[in-house]
Amino acid sequence: MNLPIQSPTASDTSAFAAGAAYVDGAYMPLSEARIPVTDWGYRRSDVVYDVVSVWDGSFFRINDHLKRFRASMEFSRLVPAESDDDIRAILHRLVALAGLREAYVAMDCLRGRPAPGTQYHPKNARPYLIAYAIPFIWLMKPEIIERGAHMVIASTPRIPESSVNARAKNFHWADMTAALFEADEQGADNPILLDAAGNVTEGPGYNVFCITNGVVATPDRNVLGGITRLSVIELCAELGLPCEVRDVSVDELRDADEILVSSTAGGPIGVSRLDGRILNNDRPGPLTQKLRETYWEKRKQGWHGEPVDYTAV
């Protein structure tokens, strides 16, 4: 498609300082981004999305994020006019417009509303693309990451994958939202959700790993195929840590030597308490710390990086 290419003036550029957005073919300051309240993306959570991070002026694993975003869109029959190359160019331009060196860059594909006179069916509602770049968001505050997250196992079960495909990154967060309130009411930072069989799934915005006797394990059912999860699995291979992708029971999680979560919004993050049980003297475990330090060091060295094109304004 032909993307808008008009460059903003210097005064226009200053309006992007709080963030830049792209909505259905047009660029604008984040504060001006809007969607119609009648669109099904809003009314029915008929949206898939992805988020890629920028650190020290480079996108991290943008190819993997675009691949996952495309798979989510195609699964949900939400395919916009923009190609993957178009979306890549849009994301670069958004970061350049906002002038960000560390950024949280989101891409959404949502369904509009059926045209008047057509059957009231999603097939008659046009999908379109929204994207935006804002300053980097941390999943948890730095001081929480430093001392380790305090987690609880939520009583709210994860939406079953037979109903909503967790691999297609989506806005169906009713279970996650309920679990977040549970954690807050128990004085914890964040929750971990189980499936109906009592196996670990994931949490709001992160995958889960546990480490027992030096062996790392992470669930592989009813979970998002996290890009940071993939990075942790790669780091385990590099560091010589056995890593198993399989069912993880709640008992295994509760008895683990170490627990960590992985997210675009912070990388690998250690857990120091689970349901009140203190792990590793109330700090992130040593293997968790090794994984976290290696992750950030490699990112600083350009691992899986793509420099932002700051001339793309």
PDB file of all heavy atoms in Angstrom, residues 124-160:
ATOM      1  N   ASN A 124     -18.123  -8.823   7.333  1.00  0.00           N
ATOM      2  CA  ASN A 124     -18.448  -7.562   6.656  1.00  0.00           C
ATOM      3  C   ASN A 124     -17.883  -6.342   7.372  1.00  0.00           C
ATOM      4  O   ASN A 124     -18.246  -5.212   7.055  1.00  0.00           O
ATOM      5  CB  ASN A 124     -19.970  -7.429   6.521  1.00  0.00           C
ATOM      6  CG  ASN A 124     -20.556  -8.484   5.618  1.00  0.00           C
ATOM      7  OD1 ASN A 124     -19.989  -8.806   4.582  1.00  0.00           O
ATOM      8  ND2 ASN A 124     -21.700  -9.048   6.015  1.00  0.00           N
ATOM      9  N   ALA A 125     -17.010  -6.565   8.351  1.00  0.00           N
ATOM     10  CA  ALA A 125     -16.370  -5.465   9.095  1.00  0.00           C
ATOM     11  C   ALA A 125     -14.895  -5.401   8.712  1.00  0.00           C
ATOM     12  O   ALA A 125     -14.173  -6.387   8.852  1.00  0.00           O
ATOM     13  CB  ALA A 125     -16.533  -5.683  10.594  1.00  0.00           C
ATOM     14  N   ARG A 126     -14.451  -4.270   8.245  1.00  0.00           N
ATOM     15  CA  ARG A 126     -13.078  -4.126   7.739  1.00  0.00           C
ATOM     16  C   ARG A 126     -12.065  -4.094   8.878  1.00  0.00           C
ATOM     17  O   ARG A 126     -12.174  -3.274   9.784  1.00  0.00           O
ATOM     18  CB  ARG A 126     -12.965  -2.841   6.913  1.00  0.00           C
ATOM     19  CG  ARG A 126     -11.584  -2.617   6.290  1.00  0.00           C
ATOM     20  CD  ARG A 126     -11.565  -1.320   5.481  1.00  0.00           C
ATOM     21  NE  ARG A 126     -11.765  -0.166   6.324  1.00  0.00           N
ATOM     22  CZ  ARG A 126     -10.775   0.520   6.916  1.00  0.00           C
ATOM     23  NH1 ARG A 126      -9.510   0.125   6.755  1.00  0.00           N
ATOM     24  NH2 ARG A 126     -11.034   1.572   7.659  1.00  0.00           N
ATOM     25  N   PRO A 127     -11.033  -4.952   8.833  1.00  0.00           N
ATOM     26  CA  PRO A 127      -9.936  -4.843   9.799  1.00  0.00           C
ATOM     27  C   PRO A 127      -9.014  -3.671   9.427  1.00  0.00           C
ATOM     28  O   PRO A 127      -8.823  -3.375   8.246  1.00  0.00           O
ATOM     29  CB  PRO A 127      -9.189  -6.169   9.655  1.00  0.00           C
ATOM     30  CG  PRO A 127     -10.087  -7.053   8.851  1.00  0.00           C
ATOM     31  CD  PRO A 127     -10.904  -6.143   7.993  1.00  0.00           C
ATOM     32  N   TYR A 128      -8.463  -3.021  10.434  1.00  0.00           N
ATOM     33  CA  TYR A 128      -7.503  -1.953  10.161  1.00  0.00           C
ATOM     34  C   TYR A 128      -6.429  -1.928  11.244  1.00  0.00           C
ATOM     35  O   TYR A 128      -6.567  -2.546  12.310  1.00  0.00           O
ATOM     36  CB  TYR A 128      -8.185  -0.594  10.016  1.00  0.00           C
ATOM     37  CG  TYR A 128      -8.928  -0.087  11.233  1.00  0.00           C
ATOM     38  CD1 TYR A 128      -8.325   0.785  12.135  1.00  0.00           C
ATOM     39  CD2 TYR A 128     -10.264  -0.442  11.457  1.00  0.00           C
ATOM     40  CE1 TYR A 128      -9.010   1.282  13.230  1.00  0.00           C
ATOM     41  CE2 TYR A 128     -10.963   0.046  12.538  1.00  0.00           C
ATOM     42  CZ  TYR A 128     -10.332   0.907  13.431  1.00  0.00           C
ATOM     43  OH  TYR A 128     -11.016   1.392  14.520  1.00  0.00           O
ATOM     44  N   LEU A 129      -5.352  -1.241  10.930  1.00  0.00           N
ATOM     45  CA  LEU A 129      -4.150  -1.250  11.767  1.00  0.00           C
ATOM     46  C   LEU A 129      -4.032   0.018  12.601  1.00  0.00           C
ATOM     47  O   LEU A 129      -4.281   1.128  12.119  1.00  0.00           O
ATOM     48  CB  LEU A 129      -2.911  -1.377  10.885  1.00  0.00           C
ATOM     49  CG  LEU A 129      -1.568  -1.516  11.614  1.00  0.00           C
ATOM     50  CD1 LEU A 129      -1.436  -2.891  12.249  1.00  0.00           C
ATOM     51  CD2 LEU A 129      -0.411  -1.274  10.648  1.00  0.00           C
ATOM     52  N   ILE A 130      -3.637  -0.191  13.858  1.00  0.00           N
ATOM     53  CA  ILE A 130      -3.249   0.896  14.759  1.00  0.00           C
ATOM     54  C   ILE A 130      -1.875   0.542  15.306  1.00  0.00           C
ATOM     55  O   ILE A 130      -1.585  -0.624  15.597  1.00  0.00           O
ATOM     56  CB  ILE A 130      -4.240   1.059  15.923  1.00  0.00           C
ATOM     57  CG1 ILE A 130      -5.574   1.619  15.422  1.00  0.00           C
ATOM     58  CG2 ILE A 130      -3.671   1.964  17.019  1.00  0.00           C
ATOM     59  CD1 ILE A 130      -6.612   1.757  16.516  1.00  0.00           C
ATOM     60  N   ALA A 131      -1.008   1.526  15.468  1.00  0.00           N
ATOM     61  CA  ALA A 131       0.288   1.304  16.108  1.00  0.00           C
ATOM     62  C   ALA A 131       0.678   2.568  16.859  1.00  0.00           C
ATOM     63  O   ALA A 131       0.219   3.666  16.518  1.00  0.00           O
ATOM     64  CB  ALA A 131       1.353   0.942  15.073  1.00  0.00           C
ATOM     65  N   TYR A 132       1.509   2.399  17.870  1.00  0.00           N
ATOM     66  CA  TYR A 132       1.989   3.586  18.586  1.00  0.00           C
ATOM     67  C   TYR A 132       3.308   3.281  19.275  1.00  0.00           C
ATOM     68  O   TYR A 132       3.623   2.129  19.567  1.00  0.00           O
ATOM     69  CB  TYR A 132       0.960   4.102  19.601  1.00  0.00           C
ATOM     70  CG  TYR A 132       0.594   3.144  20.705  1.00  0.00           C
ATOM     71  CD1 TYR A 132       1.323   3.089  21.889  1.00  0.00           C
ATOM     72  CD2 TYR A 132      -0.517   2.309  20.574  1.00  0.00           C
ATOM     73  CE1 TYR A 132       0.982   2.231  22.911  1.00  0.00           C
ATOM     74  CE2 TYR A 132      -0.871   1.435  21.592  1.00  0.00           C
ATOM     75  CZ  TYR A 132      -0.121   1.404  22.762  1.00  0.00           C
ATOM     76  OH  TYR A 132      -0.465   0.541  23.778  1.00  0.00           O
ATOM     77  N   ALA A 133       4.058   4.344  19.521  1.00  0.00           N
ATOM     78  CA  ALA A 133       5.339   4.258  20.227  1.00  0.00           C
ATOM     79  C   ALA A 133       5.302   5.226  21.395  1.00  0.00           C
ATOM     80  O   ALA A 133       4.999   6.415  21.214  1.00  0.00           O
ATOM     81  CB  ALA A 133       6.497   4.590  19.296  1.00  0.00           C
ATOM     82  N   ILE A 134       5.615   4.717  22.581  1.00  0.00           N
ATOM     83  CA  ILE A 134       5.669   5.529  23.788  1.00  0.00           C
ATOM     84  C   ILE A 134       6.936   5.159  24.561  1.00  0.00           C
ATOM     85  O   ILE A 134       7.579   4.155  24.253  1.00  0.00           O
ATOM     86  CB  ILE A 134       4.429   5.315  24.679  1.00  0.00           C
ATOM     87  CG1 ILE A 134       4.289   3.828  25.066  1.00  0.00           C
ATOM     88  CG2 ILE A 134       3.170   5.802  23.976  1.00  0.00           C
ATOM     89  CD1 ILE A 134       3.140   3.540  26.028  1.00  0.00           C
ATOM     90  N   PRO A 135       7.312   5.960  25.553  1.00  0.00           N
ATOM     91  CA  PRO A 135       8.485   5.581  26.355  1.00  0.00           C
ATOM     92  C   PRO A 135       8.335   4.181  26.937  1.00  0.00           C
ATOM     93  O   PRO A 135       7.229   3.731  27.250  1.00  0.00           O
ATOM     94  CB  PRO A 135       8.522   6.653  27.447  1.00  0.00           C
ATOM     95  CG  PRO A 135       7.886   7.854  26.801  1.00  0.00           C
ATOM     96  CD  PRO A 135       6.784   7.292  25.934  1.00  0.00           C
ATOM     97  N   PHE A 136       9.464   3.494  27.089  1.00  0.00           N
ATOM     98  CA  PHE A 136       9.488   2.099  27.539  1.00  0.00           C
ATOM     99  C   PHE A 136       8.694   1.924  28.832  1.00  0.00           C
ATOM    100  O   PHE A 136       8.778   2.742  29.749  1.00  0.00           O
ATOM    101  CB  PHE A 136      10.930   1.653  27.762  1.00  0.00           C
ATOM    102  CG  PHE A 136      11.077   0.191  28.072  1.00  0.00           C
ATOM    103  CD1 PHE A 136      11.074  -0.750  27.062  1.00  0.00           C
ATOM    104  CD2 PHE A 136      11.215  -0.244  29.384  1.00  0.00           C
ATOM    105  CE1 PHE A 136      11.209  -2.111  27.345  1.00  0.00           C
ATOM    106  CE2 PHE A 136      11.356  -1.593  29.686  1.00  0.00           C
ATOM    107  CZ  PHE A 136      11.356  -2.531  28.654  1.00  0.00           C
ATOM    108  N   ILE A 137       7.908   0.865  28.874  1.00  0.00           N
ATOM    109  CA  ILE A 137       7.113   0.527  30.061  1.00  0.00           C
ATOM    110  C   ILE A 137       7.707  -0.710  30.717  1.00  0.00           C
ATOM    111  O   ILE A 137       7.938  -1.727  30.050  1.00  0.00           O
ATOM    112  CB  ILE A 137       5.650   0.232  29.670  1.00  0.00           C
ATOM    113  CG1 ILE A 137       4.977   1.488  29.111  1.00  0.00           C
ATOM    114  CG2 ILE A 137       4.863  -0.295  30.871  1.00  0.00           C
ATOM    115  CD1 ILE A 137       3.578   1.232  28.576  1.00  0.00           C
ATOM    116  N   TRP A 138       7.939  -0.635  32.020  1.00  0.00           N
ATOM    117  CA  TRP A 138       8.406  -1.791  32.775  1.00  0.00           C
ATOM    118  C   TRP A 138       7.207  -2.551  33.317  1.00  0.00           C
ATOM    119  O   TRP A 138       6.256  -1.951  33.821  1.00  0.00           O
ATOM    120  CB  TRP A 138       9.292  -1.348  33.942  1.00  0.00           C
ATOM    121  CG  TRP A 138      10.605  -0.790  33.512  1.00  0.00           C
ATOM    122  CD1 TRP A 138      10.911   0.521  33.289  1.00  0.00           C
ATOM    123  CD2 TRP A 138      11.802  -1.527  33.239  1.00  0.00           C
ATOM    124  NE1 TRP A 138      12.217   0.647  32.886  1.00  0.00           N
ATOM    125  CE2 TRP A 138      12.793  -0.599  32.850  1.00  0.00           C
ATOM    126  CE3 TRP A 138      12.127  -2.891  33.277  1.00  0.00           C
ATOM    127  CZ2 TRP A 138      14.088  -0.984  32.510  1.00  0.00           C
ATOM    128  CZ3 TRP A 138      13.412  -3.276  32.941  1.00  0.00           C
ATOM    129  CH2 TRP A 138      14.379  -2.326  32.573  1.00  0.00           C
ATOM    130  N   LEU A 139       7.248  -3.875  33.208  1.00  0.00           N
ATOM    131  CA  LEU A 139       6.189  -4.710  33.743  1.00  0.00           C
ATOM    132  C   LEU A 139       6.009  -4.468  35.232  1.00  0.00           C
ATOM    133  O   LEU A 139       4.877  -4.433  35.740  1.00  0.00           O
ATOM    134  CB  LEU A 139       6.523  -6.191  33.499  1.00  0.00           C
ATOM    135  CG  LEU A 139       5.562  -7.213  34.089  1.00  0.00           C
ATOM    136  CD1 LEU A 139       4.220  -7.153  33.369  1.00  0.00           C
ATOM    137  CD2 LEU A 139       6.148  -8.625  34.006  1.00  0.00           C
ATOM    138  N   MET A 140       7.121  -4.290  35.925  1.00  0.00           N
ATOM    139  CA  MET A 140       7.106  -3.999  37.351  1.00  0.00           C
ATOM    140  C   MET A 140       8.109  -2.891  37.628  1.00  0.00           C
ATOM    141  O   MET A 140       9.046  -2.685  36.862  1.00  0.00           O
ATOM    142  CB  MET A 140       7.471  -5.247  38.165  1.00  0.00           C
ATOM    143  CG  MET A 140       6.584  -6.440  37.895  1.00  0.00           C
ATOM    144  SD  MET A 140       7.192  -7.921  38.761  1.00  0.00           S
ATOM    145  CE  MET A 140       6.328  -9.199  37.851  1.00  0.00           C
ATOM    146  N   LYS A 141       7.917  -2.215  38.726  1.00  0.00           N
ATOM    147  CA  LYS A 141       8.841  -1.147  39.088  1.00  0.00           C
ATOM    148  C   LYS A 141      10.246  -1.715  39.305  1.00  0.00           C
ATOM    149  O   LYS A 141      10.393  -2.860  39.756  1.00  0.00           O
ATOM    150  CB  LYS A 141       8.368  -0.446  40.369  1.00  0.00           C
ATOM    151  CG  LYS A 141       7.062   0.308  40.212  1.00  0.00           C
ATOM    152  CD  LYS A 141       6.662   0.966  41.527  1.00  0.00           C
ATOM    153  CE  LYS A 141       5.365   1.742  41.387  1.00  0.00           C
ATOM    154  NZ  LYS A 141       4.954   2.358  42.679  1.00  0.00           N
ATOM    155  N   PRO A 142      11.277  -0.929  38.999  1.00  0.00           N
ATOM    156  CA  PRO A 142      12.648  -1.419  39.168  1.00  0.00           C
ATOM    157  C   PRO A 142      12.954  -1.959  40.559  1.00  0.00           C
ATOM    158  O   PRO A 142      13.673  -2.954  40.694  1.00  0.00           O
ATOM    159  CB  PRO A 142      13.498  -0.178  38.844  1.00  0.00           C
ATOM    160  CG  PRO A 142      12.651   0.604  37.885  1.00  0.00           C
ATOM    161  CD  PRO A 142      11.240   0.407  38.358  1.00  0.00           C
ATOM    162  N   GLU A 143      12.390  -1.350  41.586  1.00  0.00           N
ATOM    163  CA  GLU A 143      12.669  -1.826  42.942  1.00  0.00           C
ATOM    164  C   GLU A 143      12.030  -3.201  43.194  1.00  0.00           C
ATOM    165  O   GLU A 143      12.555  -4.006  43.965  1.00  0.00           O
ATOM    166  CB  GLU A 143      12.195  -0.821  43.992  1.00  0.00           C
ATOM    167  CG  GLU A 143      10.736  -0.420  43.912  1.00  0.00           C
ATOM    168  CD  GLU A 143      10.465   0.813  43.067  1.00  0.00           C
ATOM    169  OE1 GLU A 143      11.239   1.074  42.120  1.00  0.00           O
ATOM    170  OE2 GLU A 143       9.479   1.514  43.365  1.00  0.00           O
ATOM    171  N   ILE A 144      10.909  -3.479  42.539  1.00  0.00           N
ATOM    172  CA  ILE A 144      10.290  -4.800  42.661  1.00  0.00           C
ATOM    173  C   ILE A 144      11.127  -5.841  41.923  1.00  0.00           C
ATOM    174  O   ILE A 144      11.357  -6.956  42.417  1.00  0.00           O
ATOM    175  CB  ILE A 144       8.848  -4.771  42.128  1.00  0.00           C
ATOM    176  CG1 ILE A 144       7.975  -3.916  43.056  1.00  0.00           C
ATOM    177  CG2 ILE A 144       8.277  -6.188  42.004  1.00  0.00           C
ATOM    178  CD1 ILE A 144       6.559  -3.728  42.573  1.00  0.00           C
ATOM    179  N   ILE A 145      11.607  -5.480  40.746  1.00  0.00           N
ATOM    180  CA  ILE A 145      12.471  -6.382  39.995  1.00  0.00           C
ATOM    181  C   ILE A 145      13.732  -6.692  40.790  1.00  0.00           C
ATOM    182  O   ILE A 145      14.200  -7.836  40.830  1.00  0.00           O
ATOM    183  CB  ILE A 145      12.820  -5.762  38.620  1.00  0.00           C
ATOM    184  CG1 ILE A 145      11.553  -5.649  37.761  1.00  0.00           C
ATOM    185  CG2 ILE A 145      13.891  -6.586  37.906  1.00  0.00           C
ATOM    186  CD1 ILE A 145      11.760  -4.922  36.456  1.00  0.00           C
ATOM    187  N   GLU A 146      14.262  -5.695  41.459  1.00  0.00           N
ATOM    188  CA  GLU A 146      15.495  -5.867  42.237  1.00  0.00           C
ATOM    189  C   GLU A 146      15.291  -6.836  43.395  1.00  0.00           C
ATOM    190  O   GLU A 146      16.117  -7.725  43.628  1.00  0.00           O
ATOM    191  CB  GLU A 146      15.960  -4.509  42.773  1.00  0.00           C
ATOM    192  CG  GLU A 146      17.195  -4.553  43.662  1.00  0.00           C
ATOM    193  CD  GLU A 146      18.467  -4.939  42.921  1.00  0.00           C
ATOM    194  OE1 GLU A 146      18.521  -4.771  41.686  1.00  0.00           O
ATOM    195  OE2 GLU A 146      19.403  -5.421  43.590  1.00  0.00           O
ATOM    196  N   ARG A 147      14.195  -6.712  44.130  1.00  0.00           N
ATOM    197  CA  ARG A 147      13.978  -7.585  45.294  1.00  0.00           C
ATOM    198  C   ARG A 147      13.243  -8.872  44.946  1.00  0.00           C
ATOM    199  O   ARG A 147      13.142  -9.801  45.737  1.00  0.00           O
ATOM    200  CB  ARG A 147      13.228  -6.848  46.400  1.00  0.00           C
ATOM    201  CG  ARG A 147      11.855  -6.277  46.027  1.00  0.00           C
ATOM    202  CD  ARG A 147      10.744  -7.078  46.677  1.00  0.00           C
ATOM    203  NE  ARG A 147       9.535  -6.273  46.821  1.00  0.00           N
ATOM    204  CZ  ARG A 147       8.369  -6.597  46.287  1.00  0.00           C
ATOM    205  NH1 ARG A 147       8.244  -7.688  45.541  1.00  0.00           N
ATOM    206  NH2 ARG A 147       7.308  -5.823  46.476  1.00  0.00           N
ATOM    207  N   GLY A 148      12.727  -8.945  43.712  1.00  0.00           N
ATOM    208  CA  GLY A 148      11.991 -10.129  43.287  1.00  0.00           C
ATOM    209  C   GLY A 148      10.504  -9.933  43.473  1.00  0.00           C
ATOM    210  O   GLY A 148      10.045  -9.356  44.477  1.00  0.00           O
ATOM    211  N   ALA A 149       9.744 -10.389  42.514  1.00  0.00           N
ATOM    212  CA  ALA A 149       8.298 -10.204  42.560  1.00  0.00           C
ATOM    213  C   ALA A 149       7.657 -11.112  43.601  1.00  0.00           C
ATOM    214  O   ALA A 149       8.094 -12.240  43.817  1.00  0.00           O
ATOM    215  CB  ALA A 149       7.695 -10.494  41.188  1.00  0.00           C
ATOM    216  N   HIS A 150       6.631 -10.590  44.236  1.00  0.00           N
ATOM    217  CA  HIS A 150       5.812 -11.377  45.153  1.00  0.00           C
ATOM    218  C   HIS A 150       4.572 -11.811  44.370  1.00  0.00           C
ATOM    219  O   HIS A 150       3.777 -10.978  43.941  1.00  0.00           O
ATOM    220  CB  HIS A 150       5.412 -10.557  46.375  1.00  0.00           C
ATOM    221  CG  HIS A 150       6.580 -10.145  47.214  1.00  0.00           C
ATOM    222  ND1 HIS A 150       6.467  -9.271  48.290  1.00  0.00           N
ATOM    223  CD2 HIS A 150       7.903 -10.481  47.155  1.00  0.00           C
ATOM    224  CE1 HIS A 150       7.663  -9.096  48.843  1.00  0.00           C
ATOM    225  NE2 HIS A 150       8.547  -9.815  48.171  1.00  0.00           N
ATOM    226  N   MET A 151       4.417 -13.111  44.175  1.00  0.00           N
ATOM    227  CA  MET A 151       3.365 -13.649  43.324  1.00  0.00           C
ATOM    228  C   MET A 151       2.378 -14.493  44.124  1.00  0.00           C
ATOM    229  O   MET A 151       2.720 -15.013  45.189  1.00  0.00           O
ATOM    230  CB  MET A 151       3.973 -14.517  42.225  1.00  0.00           C
ATOM    231  CG  MET A 151       4.864 -13.780  41.247  1.00  0.00           C
ATOM    232  SD  MET A 151       3.859 -12.992  39.987  1.00  0.00           S
ATOM    233  CE  MET A 151       5.085 -12.662  38.720  1.00  0.00           C
ATOM    234  N   VAL A 152       1.181 -14.623  43.589  1.00  0.00           N
ATOM    235  CA  VAL A 152       0.204 -15.567  44.125  1.00  0.00           C
ATOM    236  C   VAL A 152      -0.331 -16.405  42.971  1.00  0.00           C
ATOM    237  O   VAL A 152      -0.308 -15.978  41.811  1.00  0.00           O
ATOM    238  CB  VAL A 152      -0.972 -14.867  44.839  1.00  0.00           C
ATOM    239  CG1 VAL A 152      -0.492 -14.126  46.064  1.00  0.00           C
ATOM    240  CG2 VAL A 152      -1.722 -13.941  43.890  1.00  0.00           C
ATOM    241  N   ILE A 153      -0.792 -17.595  43.298  1.00  0.00           N
ATOM    242  CA  ILE A 153      -1.481 -18.425  42.323  1.00  0.00           C
ATOM    243  C   ILE A 153      -2.952 -18.065  42.387  1.00  0.00           C
ATOM    244  O   ILE A 153      -3.597 -18.209  43.433  1.00  0.00           O
ATOM    245  CB  ILE A 153      -1.254 -19.917  42.604  1.00  0.00           C
ATOM    246  CG1 ILE A 153       0.232 -20.253  42.437  1.00  0.00           C
ATOM    247  CG2 ILE A 153      -2.110 -20.779  41.673  1.00  0.00           C
ATOM    248  CD1 ILE A 153       0.613 -21.617  42.937  1.00  0.00           C
ATOM    249  N   ALA A 154      -3.476 -17.543  41.299  1.00  0.00           N
ATOM    250  CA  ALA A 154      -4.849 -17.049  41.284  1.00  0.00           C
ATOM    251  C   ALA A 154      -5.852 -18.191  41.334  1.00  0.00           C
ATOM    252  O   ALA A 154      -5.618 -19.278  40.795  1.00  0.00           O
ATOM    253  CB  ALA A 154      -5.080 -16.206  40.028  1.00  0.00           C
ATOM    254  N   SER A 155      -6.991 -17.940  41.959  1.00  0.00           N
ATOM    255  CA  SER A 155      -8.079 -18.915  41.925  1.00  0.00           C
ATOM    256  C   SER A 155      -8.843 -18.812  40.607  1.00  0.00           C
ATOM    257  O   SER A 155      -9.517 -19.775  40.208  1.00  0.00           O
ATOM    258  CB  SER A 155      -9.023 -18.697  43.105  1.00  0.00           C
ATOM    259  OG  SER A 155      -9.655 -17.424  43.013  1.00  0.00           O
ATOM    260  N   THR A 156      -8.736 -17.672  39.948  1.00  0.00           N
ATOM    261  CA  THR A 156      -9.362 -17.506  38.640  1.00  0.00           C
ATOM    262  C   THR A 156      -8.613 -18.343  37.616  1.00  0.00           C
ATOM    263  O   THR A 156      -7.410 -18.176  37.446  1.00  0.00           O
ATOM    264  CB  THR A 156      -9.327 -16.028  38.195  1.00  0.00           C
ATOM    265  OG1 THR A 156      -9.976 -15.223  39.174  1.00  0.00           O
ATOM    266  CG2 THR A 156      -9.995 -15.854  36.839  1.00  0.00           C
ATOM    267  N   PRO A 157      -9.271 -19.268  36.912  1.00  0.00           N
ATOM    268  CA  PRO A 157      -8.567 -20.083  35.918  1.00  0.00           C
ATOM    269  C   PRO A 157      -8.353 -19.314  34.616  1.00  0.00           C
ATOM    270  O   PRO A 157      -9.079 -18.372  34.304  1.00  0.00           O
ATOM    271  CB  PRO A 157      -9.505 -21.271  35.697  1.00  0.00           C
ATOM    272  CG  PRO A 157     -10.866 -20.713  35.964  1.00  0.00           C
ATOM    273  CD  PRO A 157     -10.685 -19.674  37.047  1.00  0.00           C
ATOM    274  N   ARG A 158      -7.337 -19.726  33.881  1.00  0.00           N
ATOM    275  CA  ARG A 158      -7.070 -19.155  32.559  1.00  0.00           C
ATOM    276  C   ARG A 158      -8.193 -19.556  31.605  1.00  0.00           C
ATOM    277  O   ARG A 158      -8.701 -20.681  31.668  1.00  0.00           O
ATOM    278  CB  ARG A 158      -5.727 -19.686  32.039  1.00  0.00           C
ATOM    279  CG  ARG A 158      -5.277 -19.064  30.716  1.00  0.00           C
ATOM    280  CD  ARG A 158      -4.751 -17.669  30.925  1.00  0.00           C
ATOM    281  NE  ARG A 158      -4.181 -17.123  29.689  1.00  0.00           N
ATOM    282  CZ  ARG A 158      -4.823 -16.251  28.886  1.00  0.00           C
ATOM    283  NH1 ARG A 158      -6.043 -15.856  29.180  1.00  0.00           N
ATOM    284  NH2 ARG A 158      -4.225 -15.796  27.813  1.00  0.00           N
ATOM    285  N   ILE A 159      -8.600 -18.637  30.740  1.00  0.00           N
ATOM    286  CA  ILE A 159      -9.573 -18.971  29.697  1.00  0.00           C
ATOM    287  C   ILE A 159      -9.036 -20.172  28.922  1.00  0.00           C
ATOM    288  O   ILE A 159      -7.885 -20.154  28.475  1.00  0.00           O
ATOM    289  CB  ILE A 159      -9.782 -17.788  28.743  1.00  0.00           C
ATOM    290  CG1 ILE A 159     -10.400 -16.597  29.485  1.00  0.00           C
ATOM    291  CG2 ILE A 159     -10.661 -18.187  27.557  1.00  0.00           C
ATOM    292  CD1 ILE A 159     -10.483 -15.335  28.652  1.00  0.00           C
ATOM    293  N   PRO A 160      -9.818 -21.226  28.733  1.00  0.00           N
ATOM    294  CA  PRO A 160      -9.285 -22.426  28.059  1.00  0.00           C
ATOM    295  C   PRO A 160      -8.937 -22.154  26.603  1.00  0.00           C
ATOM    296  O   PRO A 160      -9.622 -21.387  25.915  1.00  0.00           O
ATOM    297  CB  PRO A 160     -10.418 -23.435  28.184  1.00  0.00           C
ATOM    298  CG  PRO A 160     -11.641 -22.626  28.435  1.00  0.00           C
ATOM    299  CD  PRO A 160     -11.202 -21.416  29.189  1.00  0.00           C
TER     300      PRO A 160
END
